[in-house]
Amino acid sequence: MLKSISFHKPYFNMQALPPKKNRPLEHARLSTVKLPSGEVATPVFMPVGTQATVKGILPRDLSDVIGASIILGNTYHLNLRPGIEVIREAGGLARFMNWDGPVLTDSGGFQVFSLAKLRKLSDEGVRFNSHIDGCEVFLGPKEAIEIQDALKSDIAMCLDECPPAEATENEIAQAVDRSTNWAKSCKEAWGETDAVSEGRKLFGIVQGGRFPDLRKRSAEELQEIGFSGYAIGGVSVGESEEEMLEQVFTTVDFLPRELPCYVMGVGTPTQLLKMVGFGIDMFDCVLPSRAARHGTAYTSSGSINIRNEKFKFDFSPLDQETDCFASQNFTRSYIRHLFMAKESLGGVLLTLHNLRFFVKLMEDARKQIKVGNYSNWATDWIERYNLGSKQ
Amino acid sequence: MLKSISFHKPYFNMQALPPKKNRPLEHARLSTVKLPSGEVATPVFMPVGTQATVKGILPRDLSDVIGASIILGNTYHLNLRPGIEVIREAGGLARFMNWDGPVLTDSGGFQVFSLAKLRKLSDEGVRFNSHIDGCEVFLGPKEAIEIQDALKSDIAMCLDECPPAEATENEIAQAVDRSTNWAKSCKEAWGETDAVSEGRKLFGIVQGGRFPDLRKRSAEELQEIGFSGYAIGGVSVGESEEEMLEQVFTTVDFLPRELPCYVMGVGTPTQLLKMVGFGIDMFDCVLPSRAARHGTAYTSSGSINIRNEKFKFDFSPLDQETDCFASQNFTRSYIRHLFMAKESLGGVLLTLHNLRFFVKLMEDARKQIKVGNYSNWATDWIERYNLGSKQ
């Protein structure tokens, strides 16, 4: 079942690539991505460290408790605060926040569209007003690269335009054109930095929304420019779960199998397992940490709301089947008390728990891919999880 | 210089008791308090875990990073939320919150007077409305003991009446009477629990405000009842720093030297060093953790406000001279960023730092007492700290 394959890109070493079949969960694959700050085994889930911190979590616990091998930083936020000069002088994002591992940063484009005010979009880039103090900022492809170079990102992302799910075909086609042009400029700007010689990588982002032809064109144009990996963008922007999965399943076929494939900003545990089955290697999402701060804990038999009265005298762990620090050291009753008393430690414990849950899910997925059992295991896992969630 | 002394109370083992002199800082002493959950070297600073959590801090970091040997829990808060039945069923406060060490709890009285609404005070106790949901609660000496027994406190405190600094002599005299009567009832109730056979201890609290005669009477009446240790209460209730220190300095003379002496709810680093010099063994205070959440860091050359613009590019540690985790792993620039971006990790890092600062201050004090150099060392330390604070 296992097949070791050599590629011309030694930084991406794929250890298992099953033959492509029509059954959706049969395309899971195992690889190692070699980056300047460390190796990343994929499929991988990347915790989101928006403002140079995974909210409430010490970097030490990101590695020791959660087992994260790579984290994501948000260019938009870091550029506004503390400002790129601070992070450049600190020696990059990882050194600034004392994270001893690789960092992937987005281009900032997504937050410009979701957070900033008074945007003015042109072919050159986007001029916007900061959501913090209203000051005017310009972000074009060159700026996106300049910032990510200062952040010393192990993986930088091209600036792209990400239209909402309900955009017209014409609008999405224009976003593809613009994203391709920006991707060209990004690649050029990237070549002028020390990033290439330092082994840092630049990924392209496929747009095209719900239109397979546009997805195909976007993917082909990006590959013509040539990147070290490709992301599927423009998902989870308002479409249904089914449409989202359909788009990922379709788009992955347009991308080279010998390079990492990353789906941005998703998703739930079951969505992740499905997309791993489609052949996706990398994920990031705020879901586990955001849900944690609102009192939701993910368990192997569905998610629970820890505020529920029924946990008042429940001295069992959050999840019986986990190696998670929070479960091994604290009871549901105690964590519920922290939430009821509005104590910040409650959110911290659930964040530790949920992030460990997502990271371990990918560890388990890798084990199952290795022994050729991914499809069966993932199918059972999803069924059990969905059953628990309905209870 | 060192003198090893044996006492009839083996749980309190004093290792150094210098001869009493008139110079204030010459009375510092070294001891070990043996409690069911562990030994506590004194002088000691106890972090405050109001609602079964030292705000934002994992119990693991309380011991490993901060080096705390004992913490304080608040009976008033825990009784209201999660409720005493939950903690009793969990096996006590330490087990509930997964703290592997001794716990001291206050009686709840202080918060009844500072937080609760619609209080009705009588000789039996105090009837009040919860500040959380307004429901009516009665707290008398028996209730205070019952709750603290359920919390499995290593050290429980008698219920006392703590009048404000500006109370009249007559009001304070009445509070002393009431506190003595409640102390009798507490001792009786304590005797009916398993606490004594389990080696848990009950402390009396000296009231008397700014009146030495009343302090003396309160101390004598409590010693007639007999407790395992004595606290000086009714300080830091509105009086000046000088008056507070004066009251402590006076009151310590009325207490037995062969038992632990604890000053409740104070103070600043310099106040602590002065009171150690007076012969005080135990302290608790929310100051280091509360100040941390507001951006104040204690350093050996005074306190700093981390939000200050001048720290924007300051990549040095909070304090050069500390073994603190936060200083060894993060820069002032980074912690300032966390505060400016309203990221909770900023408060956590300063809490770790400040609590370590207070705990280490007591460790250093113990070292200096041991070598007979406390008075000189503390005088120099206070001078340097005050000089830095003025800059």
Side-chain angles (χ1 to χ4, degrees):
Chain A
M1 192 77 192
L2 262 182
K3 211 170 151 186
S4 192
I5 303 168
S6 292
F7 290 104
H8 58 283
K9 304 272 186 184
Y11 102 92
F12 186 64
N13 174 22
M14 201 184 297
Q15 283 114 41
L17 174 66
K20 202 139 203 228
K21 296 181 191 170
N22 281 328
R23 285 179 53 202
L25 296 188
E26 297 281 340
H27 312 142
R29 60 194 206 164
L30 210 59
S31 78
T32 308
V33 183
K34 288 180 188 161
L35 298 168
S37 311
E39 287 192 9
V40 177
T42 71
V44 68
F45 178 80
M46 304 181 281
V48 179
T50 302
Q51 303 193 102
T53 162
V54 175
K55 286 189 190 301
I57 304 300
L58 289 165
R60 174 200 63 187
D61 294 335
L62 266 179
S63 46
D64 297 357
V65 171
I66 293 166
S69 56
I70 178 170
I71 62 168
L72 181 137
N74 285 123
T75 289
Y76 170 88
H77 289 279
L78 297 168
N79 185 39
L80 297 181
R81 198 167 49 190
I84 214 59
E85 289 314 317
V86 172
I87 300 187
R88 192 199 303 274
E89 204 167 311
L93 175 57
R95 284 197 59 186
F96 181 58
M97 65 182 283
N98 195 29
W99 162 245
D100 185 24
V103 164
L104 180 149
T105 51
D106 61 13
S107 68
F110 187 82
Q111 274 84 16
V112 169
F113 291 99
S114 59
L115 287 180
K117 291 163 186 165
L118 299 173
R119 291 183 304 273
K120 204 178 161 193
L121 185 65
S122 71
D123 287 343
E124 282 66 48
V126 56
R127 191 170 297 281
F128 64 94
N129 290 76
S130 156
H131 75 288
I132 301 168
D133 59 7
C135 80
E136 198 177 87
V137 184
F138 179 77
L139 184 74
K142 281 177 193 169
E143 289 76 13
I145 292 303
E146 190 193 339
I147 298 167
Q148 292 180 85
D149 182 46
L151 296 173
K152 287 254 178 206
S153 314
D154 291 81
I155 297 176
M157 302 301 297
C158 287
L159 185 68
D160 62 335
E161 187 191 337
C162 177
E166 69 276 15
T168 64
E169 184 164 7
N170 195 35
E171 286 167 339
I172 293 177
Q174 283 182 343
V176 167
D177 289 342
R178 194 168 266 158
S179 296
T180 297
N181 287 331
W182 287 353
K184 268 182 209 148
S185 304
C186 283
K187 174 95 188 262
E188 260 177 50
W190 190 248
E192 287 162 18
T193 69
D194 294 331
V196 178
S197 66
E198 290 173 14
R200 291 185 276 133
K201 307 295 177 188
L202 180 64
F203 281 20
I205 304 174
V206 178
Q207 289 291 341
R210 62 196 181 275
F211 305 102
D213 288 354
L214 291 178
R215 288 281 182 189
K216 188 162 188 279
R217 174 157 74 81
S218 178
E220 285 170 355
E221 288 173 355
L222 290 174
Q223 284 170 77
E224 214 163 291
I225 303 165
F227 291 98
S228 302
Y230 296 89
I232 300 177
V235 292
S236 199
V237 289
E239 77 281 16
S240 71
E241 178 182 37
E242 207 179 338
E243 287 166 333
M244 187 271 282
L245 291 170
E246 178 68 33
Q247 285 176 34
V248 172
F249 189 63
T250 305
T251 307
V252 75
D253 267 352
F254 307 140
L255 290 171
R257 293 291 278 163
E258 73 275 14
L259 285 172
C261 185
Y262 161 35
V263 175
M264 303 183 79
V266 285
T268 66
T270 56
Q271 288 169 356
L272 256 55
L273 289 191
K274 285 174 187 171
M275 291 187 282
V276 166
F278 301 167
I280 304 299
D281 308 299
M282 301 167 70
F283 306 93
D284 81 278
C285 194
V286 294
L287 182 66
S289 39
R290 185 172 291 168
R293 294 194 301 277
H294 289 93
T296 296
Y298 289 91
T299 84
S300 45
S301 49
S303 60
I304 60 172
N305 185 332
I306 199 66
R307 282 196 181 84
N308 199 307
E309 175 84 16
K310 72 179 170 186
F311 300 128
K312 189 169 181 181
F313 287 90
D314 184 344
F315 299 105
S316 69
L318 287 169
D319 194 348
Q320 302 277 3
E321 296 180 20
T322 181
D323 59 1
C324 154
F325 174 84
S327 282
Q328 287 177 341
N329 291 280
F330 304 94
T331 62
R332 291 172 168 197
S333 170
Y334 178 63
I335 300 175
R336 176 183 188 270
H337 160 67
L338 294 175
F339 269 91
M340 301 312 285
K342 299 185 178 61
E343 284 285 353
S344 63
L345 196 64
V348 169
L349 289 176
L350 284 200
T351 303
L352 287 172
H353 172 84
N354 283 353
L355 285 177
R356 177 63 196 147
F357 186 85
F358 275 60
V359 166
K360 185 173 183 295
L361 189 63
M362 293 298 100
E363 288 173 7
D364 291 345
R366 295 200 297 272
K367 280 181 201 157
Q368 297 296 331
I369 297 169
K370 200 165 184 180
V371 297
N373 188 42
Y374 182 77
S375 182
N376 291 332
W377 171 80
T379 307
D380 291 350
W381 197 100
I382 290 168
E383 193 179 318
R384 183 179 161 198
Y385 182 90
N386 285 339
L387 204 68
S389 287
K390 278 176 199 142
Q391 280 176 344
Chain B
M1 192 78 193
L2 261 181
K3 212 167 151 189
S4 194
I5 306 167
S6 290
F7 291 104
H8 59 282
K9 303 272 185 185
Y11 100 93
F12 185 65
N13 174 24
M14 200 185 299
Q15 284 114 40
L17 175 65
K20 203 141 199 224
K21 297 180 191 168
N22 282 328
R23 286 178 54 203
L25 297 187
E26 297 281 340
H27 313 144
R29 59 195 209 165
L30 208 59
S31 78
T32 308
V33 183
K34 288 180 188 162
L35 299 167
S37 310
E39 287 192 7
V40 177
T42 71
V44 69
F45 177 81
M46 305 181 281
V48 179
T50 302
Q51 303 193 102
T53 161
V54 175
K55 287 191 187 301
I57 305 300
L58 289 164
R60 172 200 64 186
D61 294 336
L62 265 179
S63 47
D64 297 357
V65 171
I66 292 166
S69 57
I70 177 170
I71 62 169
L72 181 137
N74 285 122
T75 288
Y76 170 87
H77 289 280
L78 297 168
N79 184 39
L80 296 181
R81 197 165 51 189
I84 214 59
E85 288 314 318
V86 172
I87 300 187
R88 193 199 305 274
E89 206 168 311
L93 177 55
R95 283 195 60 186
F96 182 58
M97 65 182 283
N98 194 30
W99 161 244
D100 184 23
V103 164
L104 179 149
T105 51
D106 61 14
S107 68
F110 187 81
Q111 274 84 18
V112 168
F113 292 97
S114 59
L115 289 178
K117 292 163 188 164
L118 298 172
R119 293 182 303 270
K120 203 178 162 191
L121 186 64
S122 70
D123 286 343
E124 280 67 48
V126 53
R127 192 170 296 284
F128 63 93
N129 290 75
S130 157
H131 74 291
I132 300 167
D133 58 6
C135 80
E136 198 177 88
V137 185
F138 178 78
L139 185 74
K142 282 179 193 167
E143 288 76 13
I145 292 302
E146 190 193 341
I147 299 167
Q148 293 181 83
D149 182 46
L151 295 173
K152 287 253 180 208
S153 314
D154 290 80
I155 298 176
M157 302 301 299
C158 287
L159 186 67
D160 61 336
E161 188 192 335
C162 177
E166 68 275 14
T168 64
E169 184 164 4
N170 195 33
E171 285 167 339
I172 293 177
Q174 283 183 344
V176 167
D177 288 343
R178 195 168 265 156
S179 296
T180 297
N181 287 331
W182 287 354
K184 268 183 210 146
S185 305
C186 282
K187 174 96 189 265
E188 260 178 51
W190 190 247
E192 287 162 19
T193 68
D194 295 330
V196 178
S197 66
E198 290 173 14
R200 292 187 274 133
K201 305 297 175 188
L202 180 64
F203 282 20
I205 305 176
V206 179
Q207 289 291 343
R210 61 194 181 278
F211 304 101
D213 287 355
L214 292 178
R215 289 281 181 189
K216 189 161 186 280
R217 174 155 75 82
S218 177
E220 284 170 357
E221 287 173 357
L222 290 173
Q223 285 170 76
E224 211 162 293
I225 305 166
F227 292 98
S228 303
Y230 295 89
I232 300 176
V235 290
S236 199
V237 289
E239 75 283 16
S240 71
E241 180 184 31
E242 207 180 339
E243 286 167 332
M244 186 272 281
L245 291 171
E246 179 67 34
Q247 284 176 34
V248 172
F249 189 63
T250 305
T251 308
V252 76
D253 267 353
F254 308 139
L255 291 170
R257 294 291 278 162
E258 74 276 13
L259 285 172
C261 185
Y262 160 33
V263 175
M264 303 184 79
V266 285
T268 65
T270 55
Q271 288 168 358
L272 258 55
L273 288 192
K274 285 173 187 171
M275 289 187 285
V276 166
F278 301 166
I280 304 300
D281 307 300
M282 302 169 69
F283 305 94
D284 82 276
C285 194
V286 294
L287 182 67
S289 39
R290 184 173 290 168
R293 296 195 299 279
H294 290 95
T296 295
Y298 289 92
T299 83
S300 44
S301 48
S303 61
I304 59 173
N305 187 331
I306 199 67
R307 283 195 180 86
N308 198 307
E309 175 83 17
K310 71 180 172 188
F311 300 128
K312 188 168 182 183
F313 286 92
D314 186 343
F315 298 105
S316 68
L318 287 169
D319 194 349
Q320 301 278 3
E321 295 180 22
T322 180
D323 58 2
C324 152
F325 173 83
S327 280
Q328 287 178 340
N329 289 281
F330 303 94
T331 63
R332 293 173 168 198
S333 170
Y334 178 64
I335 299 174
R336 176 182 187 271
H337 160 67
L338 294 175
F339 270 91
M340 300 312 286
K342 299 184 178 61
E343 285 285 352
S344 62
L345 195 63
V348 170
L349 289 177
L350 284 201
T351 303
L352 288 172
H353 172 83
N354 283 353
L355 287 177
R356 177 63 196 145
F357 186 85
F358 275 60
V359 167
K360 185 173 184 296
L361 188 63
M362 293 297 100
E363 289 175 5
D364 292 344
R366 295 200 297 271
K367 280 180 202 158
Q368 298 295 331
I369 298 169
K370 200 165 185 181
V371 298
N373 189 43
Y374 181 77
S375 182
N376 290 333
W377 171 81
T379 306
D380 290 349
W381 196 101
I382 291 170
E383 192 179 320
R384 183 179 161 198
Y385 182 89
N386 285 339
L387 202 68
S389 286
K390 280 179 197 142
Q391 279 174 345

